[in-house]
Amino acid sequence: MKRIIHFFIIYAVWILLTWSFTLQELLAGVVISLLAELLLGDIFPYEGVKAFYPRRFFWLFCYFWVFIWAMIRANFDVAYRVLNIYLPIKPGIVKVRTKLKSDMGRTFLANSITLTPGTMSVDLVGDHLYIHWINVVSPDIQKDTEMIVAGFEKYLERIFE
Amino acid sequence: MNVFIALLILCMFMCLYRVGKGPTAPDRTVAIDIMGILMVGFCAIFSIMMKKDLYMNIGISWALLNFIGTLALAKYLEGRGFDE
Amino acid sequence: MNEFVGYVLLSVGVAFDLFGCIGLVRLPDVYNRLQAATKCATLGTAMILLSVFFFTGFGPITIKALLCIWFILITSPTAAHAISRAAHRSGIRLWEGSYIDKYAEDREGKEDKA
């Protein structure tokens, strides 16, 4: 089941990439997607497929807009800091806890943290994420968790757990 | 359009400055990564000007190869094997 | 009309690219540079790619540009994460004006025990 869904995802990407509907292109796509799935299918985790269930997909859609909004704010934040003559930065690495257990959820969380205002994930050890913050407010784990992680975790919990 | 291309070339010269001067190896890696992403934008502007999707193909493959190259450099800096 | 929206998106995208590269030159250490450069270059290039849609309409170029946005949004933070971790593990310290470095504290603690 998992492998069939993977095959269709790879095939869809192939069609989008070539975007020509002659017979030989479509057949070459079938051969190459099968080959890719047979060779590399074990690496891809099952949670990635779970996001395509209808109710999870709805939350993925909501999450997408939250993420875009955070990204735009991040860019104005960086532009402000870079163009200011005095460079108003106070960098440091803080530690936060995450409740997410699945690999896919954690990957998404780390990537979203990197693209949001002033924060960038450096490493993941056990349940703790180390985050480089361009303007550290407090060194406290609990407070940092609320400020950085909580907004995304709410959605990712519903998508991937 | 020419103005945008000129600005992107200016960006690339800033990256080159960082590649040349950057005090440590990761600095240079960052600058090369950003140059790759700028190159993708360059390909997009070219495909708008020429109305051909050939340049966009180049952009996609450039983005993916750039990513793999950066990962390989990062692993090398960290001092681990490539197959981990 | 479409061309106008395309030009606006294109100029905003190029402007963000420019801010990112100014950050790359001005900021003091690897981690800060990585933050500025990665964010700005990612959104800037994504906007340039999005403006392709307004210039050429729906067709093969637009489909490829949208796929390219998706690839960039996934790959760029991962590359930033890999570089920052590699930098920290290969012993590059934060800038002197930094506030706190919990990662180094925790890692040094572990090395003392081992």
Side-chain angles (χ1 to χ4, degrees):
Chain A
M1 189 59 203
K2 172 188 157 187
R3 283 179 174 260
I4 295 169
I5 297 173
H6 282 174
F7 170 73
F8 277 110
I9 294 172
I10 297 172
Y11 193 46
V13 172
W14 169 271
I15 288 176
L16 288 177
L17 269 176
T18 56
W19 202 251
S20 68
F21 295 98
T22 55
L23 188 63
Q24 43 181 333
E25 292 274 8
L26 295 178
L27 279 179
V30 170
V31 172
I32 289 175
S33 327
L34 265 180
L35 214 63
E37 171 52 35
L38 288 179
L39 290 176
L40 304 168
D42 301 331
I43 301 172
F44 201 76
Y46 181 64
E47 287 96 358
V49 176
K50 268 201 318 200
F52 286 96
Y53 296 167
R55 238 182 68 213
R56 291 167 190 270
F57 196 74
F58 169 73
W59 286 111
L60 190 67
F61 187 72
C62 295
Y63 172 72
F64 180 72
W65 295 111
V66 174
F67 173 68
I68 293 286
W69 171 236
M71 226 170 99
I72 292 169
R73 263 191 318 156
N75 276 274
F76 280 105
D77 183 66
V78 169
Y80 159 71
R81 284 183 205 286
V82 165
L83 293 179
N84 198 318
I85 309 169
Y86 301 108
L87 283 180
I89 57 174
K90 195 170 112 186
I93 293 183
V94 297
K95 191 177 173 186
V96 299
R97 270 182 62 84
T98 171
K99 282 180 290 184
L100 299 173
K101 292 279 174 267
S102 59
D103 286 345
M104 204 71 184
R106 284 179 173 179
T107 313
F108 263 72
L109 182 68
N111 276 6
S112 335
I113 284 171
T114 303
L115 285 176
T116 48
T119 52
M120 179 179 72
S121 52
V122 176
D123 202 356
L124 177 78
V125 178
D127 275 348
H128 294 276
L129 270 168
Y130 292 93
I131 289 173
H132 181 265
W133 202 354
I134 208 165
N135 192 13
V136 177
V137 177
S138 77
D140 183 41
I141 292 183
Q142 208 61 40
K143 223 170 172 181
D144 291 340
T145 306
E146 269 170 34
M147 287 187 69
I148 299 173
V149 180
F152 293 123
E153 220 170 35
K154 213 165 50 187
Y155 292 94
L156 287 172
E157 222 171 8
R158 290 187 177 125
I159 297 171
F160 289 113
E161 296 295 307
Chain B
M1 283 296 172
N2 290 329
V3 181
F4 297 124
I5 287 183
L7 282 173
L8 278 184
I9 289 175
L10 180 68
C11 289
M12 284 189 179
F13 272 110
M14 287 180 182
C15 291
L16 271 182
Y17 166 78
R18 190 43 79 194
V19 171
K21 186 171 174 288
T24 60
D27 280 312
R28 299 190 168 105
T29 314
V30 174
I32 291 169
D33 186 36
I34 299 306
M35 261 179 92
I37 294 180
L38 290 178
M39 202 65 209
V40 176
F42 213 77
C43 289
I45 292 181
F46 252 67
S47 77
I48 293 172
M49 282 170 74
M50 306 290 174
K51 307 268 183 218
K52 276 190 181 153
D53 60 346
L54 168 69
Y55 298 100
M56 219 50 243
N57 291 345
I58 299 173
I60 290 178
S61 25
W62 199 298
L64 294 176
L65 286 177
N66 182 45
F67 171 62
I68 294 171
T70 311
L71 275 193
L73 271 173
K75 293 248 170 186
Y76 169 69
L77 287 175
E78 206 170 325
R80 285 192 297 176
F82 285 118
D83 53 348
E84 192 188 336
Chain C
M1 186 59 209
N2 271 352
E3 291 238 322
F4 178 71
V5 178
Y7 273 113
V8 170
L9 273 179
L10 197 55
S11 13
V12 173
V14 173
F16 274 131
D17 273 0
L18 201 59
F19 293 153
C21 289
I22 293 173
L24 195 65
V25 172
R26 274 197 77 194
L27 289 170
D29 76 344
V30 188
Y31 306 97
N32 294 316
R33 279 175 204 147
L34 205 50
Q35 289 226 13
T38 306
K39 275 168 206 151
C40 282
T42 307
L43 190 73
T45 307
M47 276 187 168
I48 294 175
L49 288 167
L50 196 62
S51 77
V52 172
F53 174 70
F54 292 99
F55 278 112
T56 62
F58 195 77
I61 308 181
T62 307
I63 298 279
K64 280 166 194 174
L66 292 180
L67 262 180
C68 202
I69 292 180
W70 183 54
F71 287 147
I72 283 184
L73 283 188
I74 290 180
T75 57
S76 154
T78 315
H81 168 70
I83 297 172
S84 66
R85 199 165 89 146
H88 209 288
R89 295 224 170 165
S90 65
I92 289 160
R93 295 285 138 200
L94 269 71
W95 177 50
E96 309 88 57
S98 299
Y99 184 64
I100 188 171
D101 188 356
K102 285 221 166 145
Y103 190 42
E105 284 169 21
D106 285 6
R107 276 187 53 221
E108 270 157 21
K110 230 182 273 166
E111 274 158 21
D112 286 345
K113 267 180 221 160

